[in-house]
Amino acid sequence: MPRDIPVGNGNLLVAFDKDYILREFYFPHVGEENHTKGEPFRLGVWVNGRFNWIPDGWRIRKDYLDDTMVTDVDLVHDGLNLKIRANDLVDFHENIYLKRLTVENLSGEEAEVRIFLCQDFHIYGNDIGDTVAYRPEVEGLLHYKGERYFLVNALKGGRCGIDQYATGNKEAKGYVGTWKDAEDGILSGNPIAQGSVDSVMAIHLHLMPRAAETCYYWICAGKNWNEVYALNKIMVDKSPEEIFTRTLNYWKLWVNKEGLNYDLIPERAAWLYKRSLLILRTQIDNDGAIIAGNDSDVVMFNRDTYSYMWPRDGALAAYALDLAGYLGLTRSFFNCCARIMEKDGYLLHKYTPKGTVASSWHPWFSNNRPQLPIQEDETALVVWALWNHYNIFRDIEFIKPLYNALVKNAADFMLRYRDKGTGLPLPSYDLWEENQGIFTFTASAVYGGLTAAANFAQAFGEAGIAERYRNGAAEIREGMDRHLYIEKERRFAKMINLREDGSVETDASVDASLYGLFAFGAYAPDDPRVRSTMEQVYERLWCKTQVGGLARYESDYYYRISNDIPGNPWFLTTLWLAQYYIAVARTKPELDKALEIMEWVAKHALPSGVLAEQINPYTHEPVSVSPLTWSHATFIIVVQEYMNKLLEIEKCPMCGHSKFLKKMANGGRSSRVK
C-alpha cells in the first residue's frame, strides 16, 4: 500500500497510506525506529449521533500544498454532511508532528461534531512494556517506553487540551483496541494502561449551519518527559498556526532556492521536479544516511524493509541533489560514507540509518571458500558522485579530509580487487542483489570510480597516484572490450563468470542497467556498441501494454504481474532510457524523446507526485515500495541533464551563449566525469 504523502524533518518521519491513515512514525532517525510497526493510527468522526471511521464512506483527495512538505487532504462524507480539510506537517526545526483540521458543516442544521484520533504506538517497533497515561498538567496523553516519549495534545478555540480520552489494552487477551471505545461517541476516561496499549482522544466542535471551525492535533517526540513537555510548551506559546506558517514558508524557500527556468520543461514535469525534491528530502536522515524507502507494507513480502541506506542508491541520490544545488545534504552523506567505510576500502551491502551494518543475504562464505559479500558498484559510485560534487562546488576544504579516508582508500581497493587475467573487477553481487559475477554495470561503475579518484589525485598534485588509477580504469575498459562485448549480438553482456578451467560463461540477457556503459564515462554514449546495446534494451524491455515503461531485465520475477511482459515497468529504468536519449541528442527533436519519458513519469506518478519502485503494467497502480528514493532521484537527474543539454544545443551561432536568459543553478555546467 503506497505511502503517498510523507512529511518529515530529517529526525521525525510520518507517512500515511492510500486511505489517509497514519501508518509510519519514525524517530529519532528517518527509517529507524518505526514506532507504529505499520499499524493504523485511526481517524473517526461522530456527528449528531452517527459515527464513521475514515475511509468508510469518505471521498478522499490527497496532495500537498504547492511547493511545500505540508499535506493538503480533503475528506468529504455525504451522509454526515461534513467536509474536513486536513494539513499535516512535521515542523522543520522541532520534532513535532502537527495536524490542522478545518471541519465544515455542509448541512442547514447545527452539528455536534467529535473528532476521534487514535494512537496505536508500538514503541521501538514492539508492543511489549509500553505505557500510556493522561497527564493533567498538560491535559494530554503520554506514550512512553525507555528513552522514547510521545506527548499527544490538541487545541481548539484558543484552548489547549483534549476533550475526551481513553487508554487501554490491545492485541492480547481478546482485546481489539481502545479505538473501539470511540464508536458510541463517548470515551471511558481510563487514565493509564501498561503493556500492549493504545489510546484515543477527542476534539469536540459545535458547528452552526454551513459554518467551519479549525482545530489542531499534535504529537511531540523526545527522549524524556522534559523534552516533550518543552515541545508542547512551544506549541502553546507560539500557537499551532505559527508553527504551521513557519514550516510552510520554510519549504517554499527550500524548494525554490535555485530559481530554475521551469519554462524549459512541461508544466507537469516542473511540478514533479519540485515535488521529487521535497519527497526525496523526507527520506534523508539528518546524520547523512539516504534511505531507500520507508514503507512497512513490504515486510509482508520478505520480513524486512527498505528502510536502509544502500550506498549506491545514496550516491545516485547525492548526485541528483548536487545537480539541483543542495550541497548541505550531500556533504552529510559523503561524511557518513567515510565513517562507515571498511578499513580495507569497501562499503558493505547496506546500512541502518544510524550507520551500522544492516541485514544482508550476501554470504561471507560460498562454494567452500571465503568471499567479500559486496556489490562493488556501491563503493565505486560514492567516489564517482563525490567527484561530481567537487566538480560543481569546488569546496576543497570539504574534500580535504575525505581524500585519504574515502577517495584513496576506496580507489586502492578497486585497483586491488580485480582479476589479473582480464583486468576486470573480481566477481561481486549485481545492483539487483540477485546474482554474483562480473557485471557490465559494475565494471562501468568501477571505471567511473577510478577515473574520479584519478581526477582527485591529479587535483591534489599526486600525479603518480593519478596515473595508477587511470591505468587501472583503462585496463578495466580493455577488459570490457574483450570479455563483455558480444560481437555476434552487437551488444554488451549483462555479466560473465570465469570458470576454473579458464573458460568464460556469458549471460547475454538484456538488462536495463547496461545504461551504466555511458552513465559513468566508460564509453561515449554515441559509441556504436553502446547505441546498439541501448536500442536492444528498448526493443526487448519496453512493456508493450497501454501503460508502457521499461522493465529491469528479461523475465524479471520480482512482483511480476504477468508472464506476457518482460517484467513490471520501473520508473528509474525508464528514466535511464531518457538519460541515454539526452546523452546522444544533438538537436532539439532528438532531445524531445527524453521529454516524452519525463511526461510519461509525471503521468504515472500518484496524484501527490509520489513515485513507487514499480507500476502495474496494465493499471499503472504502484507496486512494491512507495515512495522509492531512487525513483525520485533519477527524475531529478533527468530534468537537470535535459536542461543542461538544452542549453548546450540551443546556443546562438553568433555569440555562443544560450538562447535562454535564465540558466540552471549550476550555470549549465556538465557535472559528468570526463
Side-chain angles (χ1 to χ4, degrees):
M1 188 176 290
R3 307 302 194 236
D4 56 345
I5 45 171
V7 292
N9 66 2
N11 299 323
L12 174 60
L13 171 64
V14 175
F16 303 83
D17 67 17
K18 69 179 182 63
D19 295 324
Y20 185 58
I21 297 174
L22 191 157
R23 291 273 187 172
E24 318 286 340
F25 197 105
Y26 293 93
F27 174 80
H29 294 279
V30 172
E32 186 182 19
E33 304 115 6
N34 186 4
H35 300 289
T36 69
K37 208 181 71 173
E39 296 298 324
F41 278 39
R42 292 174 171 85
L43 175 60
V45 182
W46 180 96
V47 182
N48 292 340
R50 294 182 58 192
F51 183 90
N52 275 93
W53 291 111
I54 290 167
D56 300 337
W58 294 83
R59 300 198 309 275
I60 304 173
R61 180 194 63 84
K62 303 183 303 301
D63 203 344
Y64 292 93
L65 295 174
D66 285 345
D67 293 358
T68 75
M69 205 187 295
V70 179
T71 73
D72 184 24
V73 178
D74 284 336
L75 307 163
V76 180
H77 196 290
D78 295 327
L80 298 177
N81 288 310
L82 206 69
K83 177 180 180 180
I84 301 174
R85 187 180 188 188
N87 305 115
D88 303 271
L89 60 87
V90 172
D91 183 63
F92 77 94
H93 184 61
E94 305 289 356
N95 294 321
I96 302 170
Y97 160 59
L98 171 65
K99 181 190 292 289
R100 182 174 76 167
L101 297 169
T102 300
V103 184
E104 182 180 355
N105 178 9
L106 301 178
S107 76
E109 301 177 355
E110 294 183 29
E112 293 293 332
V113 179
R114 299 173 189 173
I115 308 294
F116 291 92
L117 297 117
C118 308
Q119 294 72 228
D120 192 2
F121 279 106
H122 293 64
I123 300 176
Y124 291 111
N126 65 73
D127 62 351
I128 299 172
D130 289 11
T131 300
V132 58
Y134 176 72
R135 294 297 296 255
E137 62 269 54
V138 294
E139 297 185 67
L141 290 167
L142 176 69
H143 285 255
Y144 71 91
K145 179 166 63 183
E147 292 188 329
R148 300 293 177 260
Y149 279 63
F150 304 101
L151 178 57
V152 184
N153 216 331
L155 182 144
K156 66 161 187 184
R159 177 190 170 276
C160 181
I162 58 181
D163 291 313
Q164 288 188 78
Y165 65 87
T167 71
N169 296 99
K170 66 182 183 188
E171 300 176 20
K173 298 180 180 179
Y175 294 123
V176 176
T178 311
W179 57 272
K180 289 291 289 184
D181 192 20
E183 294 180 348
D184 63 358
I186 301 171
L187 298 177
S188 69
N190 183 45
I192 193 166
Q194 168 267 335
S196 178
V197 299
D198 66 345
S199 68
V200 190
M201 55 152 288
I203 303 172
H204 293 183
L205 304 173
H206 180 85
L207 299 179
M208 300 302 289
R210 316 294 179 186
E213 186 174 347
T214 298
C215 58
Y216 305 85
Y217 160 90
W218 63 85
I219 302 176
C220 304
K223 296 182 179 180
N224 54 56
W225 166 252
N226 290 334
E227 280 189 21
V228 295
Y229 180 85
L231 291 174
N232 189 73
K233 191 172 187 302
I234 289 172
M235 293 299 296
V236 175
D237 292 347
K238 287 188 176 293
S239 85
E241 190 62 28
E242 182 176 335
I243 297 295
F244 176 89
T245 301
R246 79 176 191 178
T247 300
L248 188 81
N249 291 339
Y250 174 83
W251 291 118
K252 285 180 179 290
L253 286 170
W254 188 89
V255 81
N256 289 301
K257 78 182 188 72
E258 296 301 328
L260 302 188
N261 187 354
Y262 292 110
D263 292 338
L264 303 183
I265 56 178
E267 182 179 356
R268 183 74 177 172
W271 167 84
L272 185 56
Y273 175 83
K274 287 186 179 183
R275 192 59 57 84
S276 289
L277 282 170
L278 290 162
I279 292 169
L280 184 57
R281 180 63 183 95
T282 68
Q283 307 300 300
I284 301 175
D285 186 75
N286 284 342
D287 285 346
I290 299 176
I291 307 305
N294 293 289
D295 178 352
S296 59
D297 274 1
V298 296
V299 170
M300 292 183 289
F301 181 79
N302 63 355
R303 301 305 298 169
D304 208 343
T305 72
Y306 279 44
S307 294
Y308 301 111
M309 183 184 83
W310 276 260
R312 169 193 49 257
D313 300 34
L316 293 169
Y319 174 56
L321 289 164
D322 279 334
L323 290 178
Y326 292 85
L327 77 163
L329 291 171
T330 61
R331 284 178 173 178
S332 296
F333 167 75
F334 292 122
N335 282 329
C336 175
C337 290
R339 289 195 306 270
I340 64 178
M341 180 167 279
E342 299 295 313
K343 62 180 177 60
D344 290 330
Y346 57 85
L347 291 162
L348 289 168
H349 179 187
K350 55 191 170 83
Y351 296 85
T352 69
K354 292 178 183 177
T356 58
V357 176
S359 59
S360 179
W361 53 92
H362 298 336
W364 290 84
F365 190 81
S366 180
N367 297 321
N368 294 317
R369 70 182 76 176
Q371 65 174 21
L372 281 183
I374 63 171
Q375 301 161 44
E376 195 183 354
D377 64 280
E378 299 203 275
T379 300
L381 290 179
V382 169
V383 180
W384 173 84
L386 183 61
W387 173 255
N388 280 286
H389 171 94
Y390 173 70
N391 201 33
I392 296 171
F393 301 111
R394 301 291 172 173
D395 46 354
I396 189 66
E397 291 290 338
F398 168 67
I399 296 295
K400 182 174 67 174
L402 298 178
Y403 176 55
N404 286 321
L406 195 157
V407 176
K408 289 173 68 176
N409 197 17
D412 289 343
F413 169 77
M414 289 186 280
L415 210 55
R416 291 193 308 271
Y417 198 68
R418 292 188 299 145
D419 177 72
K420 292 180 181 178
T422 65
L424 291 168
L426 286 171
S428 68
Y429 288 91
D430 65 334
L431 78 166
W432 307 131
E433 310 180 307
E434 296 169 348
N435 299 293
Q436 190 182 42
I438 300 171
F439 293 87
T440 293
F441 180 85
T442 304
S444 301
V446 174
Y447 176 95
L450 282 172
T451 303
N455 291 341
F456 275 122
Q458 194 71 45
F460 276 87
E462 297 190 309
I465 293 175
E467 185 178 7
R468 279 203 303 120
Y469 294 158
R470 288 196 195 284
N471 288 342
E475 290 166 4
I476 288 173
R477 165 66 188 266
E478 291 168 8
M480 294 174 72
D481 289 342
R482 292 197 311 270
H483 301 287
L484 286 170
Y485 185 70
I486 311 171
E487 192 72 44
K488 179 182 177 182
E489 303 289 344
R490 295 188 307 109
R491 69 169 182 267
F492 282 86
K494 174 178 180 173
M495 64 173 286
I496 61 170
N497 269 309
L498 305 177
R499 297 194 181 102
E500 291 186 4
D501 62 5
S503 62
V504 177
E505 179 185 12
T506 301
D507 181 347
S509 59
V510 176
D511 192 303
S513 68
L514 292 169
Y515 98 106
L517 287 162
F518 69 88
F520 314 121
Y523 292 85
D526 57 0
D527 184 301
R529 293 168 295 180
V530 175
R531 280 188 179 273
S532 179
T533 298
M534 292 305 295
E535 286 169 1
Q536 292 181 63
V537 165
Y538 172 75
E539 291 166 3
R540 302 277 281 271
L541 299 183
W542 191 263
C543 293
K544 295 175 177 60
T545 66
Q546 288 186 336
V547 171
L550 202 73
R552 285 195 302 175
Y553 54 79
E554 295 174 292
S555 301
D556 182 7
Y557 69 90
Y558 189 51
Y559 284 103
R560 190 174 182 178
I561 300 297
S562 168
N563 291 331
D564 295 332
I565 54 168
N568 297 337
W570 286 45
F571 284 113
L572 66 95
T573 55
T574 308
L575 287 162
W576 289 345
L577 193 62
Q579 284 187 264
Y580 171 69
Y581 292 146
I582 293 166
V584 297
R586 297 293 177 267
T587 65
K588 179 64 168 60
E590 290 175 342
L591 196 56
D592 286 344
K593 295 174 75 174
L595 204 60
E596 291 172 6
I597 289 178
M598 290 159 58
E599 291 180 306
W600 178 90
V601 172
K603 176 182 177 182
H604 295 295
L606 288 169
S608 64
V610 159
L611 300 175
E613 178 184 74
Q614 315 168 39
I615 56 174
N616 186 302
Y618 301 101
T619 67
H620 85 87
E621 292 176 320
V623 175
S624 187
V625 170
S626 174
L628 184 73
T629 300
W630 199 355
S631 297
H632 287 282
T634 312
F635 187 79
I636 293 165
I637 290 169
V638 166
V639 170
Q640 286 280 341
E641 291 183 345
Y642 171 87
M643 292 177 121
N644 278 329
K645 179 55 74 77
L646 183 62
L647 292 173
E648 180 184 317
I649 288 173
E650 297 288 339
K651 286 182 178 178
C652 171
M654 301 297 293
C655 67
H657 293 301
S658 171
K659 295 178 182 179
F660 303 103
L661 295 178
K662 287 183 73 175
K663 288 195 174 184
M664 302 272 303
N666 62 11
R669 291 194 306 272
S670 173
S671 302
R672 192 176 304 288
V673 173
K674 299 297 184 184

